Amino acid sequence: MGLRELEDRLRQLPGNLPRAPEQPLRRWAQTHHEGGLSVAFINVVDKVLDTGRACSTWGLQFGLACCAIEMMAVGASRYDLDRFGVFFRGSPRQADAMLVAGTLTLKMADVLRRLYDQMPEPRYVIAVGNCAISGGRFYHHAYSVVRGVDRVVPVDIYVPGCPPRPESFIDAIRKLHQLMRRESIADTIGHGERQHEDFFRKRELP
Amino acid sequence: MSEGQEQQIASVSSPEPLSAELQEIAGDLTTGGCVRAGRPELLTTPENLLPLLNRLHELPEPYSRLTDLCGVDWGDRVQVVYALCRGYGAEMVLVKVDLPRAQAEVPTVTGLWQLAFWPEREVAEMFGVTFVGHPNCEHLLLPEGFVGYPLLKDYEYDRSNPLLSPDPLREDPDAVLGGPPSEDETGAS
Ligand code: SF4
């Protein structure tokens, strides 16, 4: 997908939202299996899956600029993200969360979107640093900096700072874990679309 | 500030005449020249550029290294600057070509230095200079399909691009949020 197509797609999206899935699994369980038991089963499965997911979050390292140095520092022994179960992966297909640290440029936007599309659901995005949030110091005049990663992919957690302290990075990981523990398998089917809708509803506000 | 630095600043503000050696080598192919901050500069035209560079390249003690190639936008004209070095040190001479903005064309120097392949591509996409004879002058740093030459002073970025457009919430928050909060909303009775 070239840059033009990506732009066209983004231009079209707000008016053309996908429907939110209405928890198809839970509804199926309620209607076909006399209620209670299978819903309880889903809840147990949720607990196991969510705990597993939150205790072992593999991150797709997406270091794009100076914030990536901070990400390395957080991953190294002093701050040690390993103890939260976060390991950096080089491949999107093995990753749960994408850690976008740095300045996203027009040329990279296409690649970021493609890698995001390759991640298995449920997938999460953390935007680290002012540049990833809004373009940061490049907001006013830059010809090549995308004004925020959230124009290309839906973002779950924002970490402000230029660059953020490692502590805020760790805080973001903890927040991500809280988010994961609230997920239900019944909701996470179609997770990406649901997020997309929320995301564009939010952006549609103006 | 050391004495050397002061001298350097003084010589930047007041260019000195070229040395007799360079004047003799390049005099007939240049339209001007001076020494700024201890570094000789030769001003030439697009037609004379290649003969001049060739001549500097073939001196007994040649300026055989191209250390930099860049563009400058002076508003009324675009300038391409070639920085040549010789020997093992940093003895440098700058060759400058002035080009009209409307038709900025200059012959490529990839025949002399293959290295010029990359900086020429960059100058071409950033300043809109055409390097005649360049083997493959595609965009180097900019994405494909990018319109305009972003390092020209009068360039404005594409505000209609959804990836670059200003954030409405930041540009005009009142219009987005419907004015400043009323008194009952802020809780001041
Ligand atoms: S937010 Fe600051 S530290 Fe991070 S990438 Fe941008 S300029 Fe660099």
Side-chain angles (χ1 to χ4, degrees):
Chain A
M1 186 170 53
L3 189 64
R4 290 284 156 215
E5 287 97 297
L6 180 67
E7 283 165 14
D8 288 342
R9 223 172 104 186
L10 286 172
R11 272 206 188 90
Q12 287 162 5
L13 259 175
N16 186 15
L17 292 176
R19 291 253 130 254
E22 297 161 348
Q23 300 200 347
L25 196 63
R26 194 177 290 270
R27 210 179 51 222
W28 174 82
Q30 280 164 351
T31 50
H32 290 262
H33 280 251
E34 280 111 46
L37 189 60
S38 41
V39 173
F41 178 68
I42 287 182
N43 289 344
V44 173
V45 172
D46 278 349
K47 266 263 166 330
V48 174
L49 279 185
D50 288 350
T51 309
R53 207 181 289 142
C55 288
S56 164
T57 313
W58 286 8
L60 173 62
Q61 47 172 353
F62 219 106
L64 294 170
C66 9
C67 275
I69 304 295
E70 209 66 14
M71 186 163 73
M72 290 176 219
V74 186
S77 51
R78 187 179 175 99
Y79 292 98
D80 199 11
L81 271 189
D82 293 6
R83 65 199 156 120
F84 302 104
V86 179
F87 293 91
F88 293 131
R89 309 302 301 179
S91 161
R93 299 183 196 279
Q94 300 168 345
D96 301 302
M98 185 191 249
L99 310 169
V100 188
T103 320
L104 181 68
T105 54
L106 274 182
K107 204 170 182 178
M108 205 65 186
D110 182 21
V111 180
L112 184 99
R113 180 70 220 192
R114 198 180 311 157
L115 288 178
Y116 177 80
D117 287 339
Q118 287 179 1
M119 284 165 65
E121 287 185 15
R123 51 198 171 194
Y124 305 84
V125 178
I126 302 181
V128 179
N130 293 350
C131 289
I133 295 173
S134 67
R137 58 184 57 209
F138 307 105
Y139 175 81
H140 286 292
H141 302 295
Y143 59 87
S144 62
V145 176
V146 176
R147 288 359 182 220
V149 174
D150 56 8
R151 304 213 175 177
V152 185
V153 295
V155 175
D156 292 282
I157 294 173
Y158 297 86
V159 191
C162 181
R165 292 280 309 158
E167 289 86 345
S168 17
F169 203 112
I170 292 174
D171 185 48
I173 300 287
R174 307 277 302 184
K175 292 249 159 54
L176 180 67
H177 289 171
Q178 287 170 12
L179 199 72
M180 286 173 162
R181 285 178 195 278
R182 282 210 305 270
E183 294 283 352
S184 161
I185 185 176
D187 301 331
T188 48
I189 291 179
H191 179 90
E193 285 79 17
R194 198 195 68 228
Q195 270 192 337
H196 251 297
E197 191 185 17
D198 291 351
F199 156 63
F200 280 113
R201 193 180 294 131
K202 191 191 84 196
R203 291 208 69 82
E204 238 191 339
L205 252 182
Chain B
M1 195 184 287
S2 76
E3 207 170 286
Q5 275 172 322
E6 270 173 29
Q7 268 177 6
Q8 219 177 31
I9 287 174
S11 67
V12 167
S13 50
S14 59
E16 296 152 21
L18 275 181
S19 69
E21 184 209 354
L22 269 176
Q23 192 60 266
E24 192 191 317
I25 297 168
D28 55 330
L29 292 177
T30 54
T31 56
C34 60
V35 179
R36 275 207 189 87
R39 183 184 298 146
E41 300 178 3
L42 305 171
L43 199 63
T44 185
T45 57
E47 303 82 58
N48 286 343
L49 174 72
L50 276 186
L52 176 62
L53 291 179
N54 260 318
R55 198 178 284 177
L56 290 171
H57 197 274
E58 281 157 14
L59 290 176
E61 218 184 308
Y63 286 95
S64 52
R65 278 184 286 138
L66 179 74
T67 48
D68 200 3
L69 195 166
C70 60
V72 187
D73 180 19
W74 288 106
D76 52 339
R77 66 208 144 93
V78 179
Q79 199 172 49
V80 182
V81 183
Y82 302 80
L84 312 182
C85 277
R86 76 170 164 196
Y88 293 105
E91 195 187 337
M92 187 186 277
V93 57
L94 298 182
V95 177
K96 303 184 171 182
V97 197
D98 278 337
L99 308 167
R101 281 188 65 149
Q103 203 203 1
E105 278 187 4
V106 71
T108 177
V109 297
T110 43
L112 273 172
W113 295 280
Q114 287 204 350
L115 178 78
F117 184 82
W118 303 105
E120 280 189 353
R121 272 173 77 176
E122 190 182 349
V123 172
E125 69 180 358
M126 294 291 176
F127 295 93
V129 177
T130 313
F131 287 91
V132 180
H134 190 284
N136 179 14
C137 214
E138 286 176 359
H139 279 174
L140 174 64
L141 302 171
L142 295 175
E144 271 172 46
F146 191 94
V147 183
Y149 304 108
L151 288 197
L152 293 180
K153 303 268 187 231
D154 54 6
Y155 178 82
E156 276 289 329
Y157 75 88
D158 176 14
R159 280 166 188 272
S160 66
N161 185 332
L163 297 178
L164 304 183
S165 57
D167 198 338
L169 192 63
R170 180 163 172 174
E171 296 303 306
D172 192 359
D174 286 353
V176 177
L177 303 174
S182 63
E183 286 206 345
D184 354 322
E185 280 179 56
T186 52
S189 55

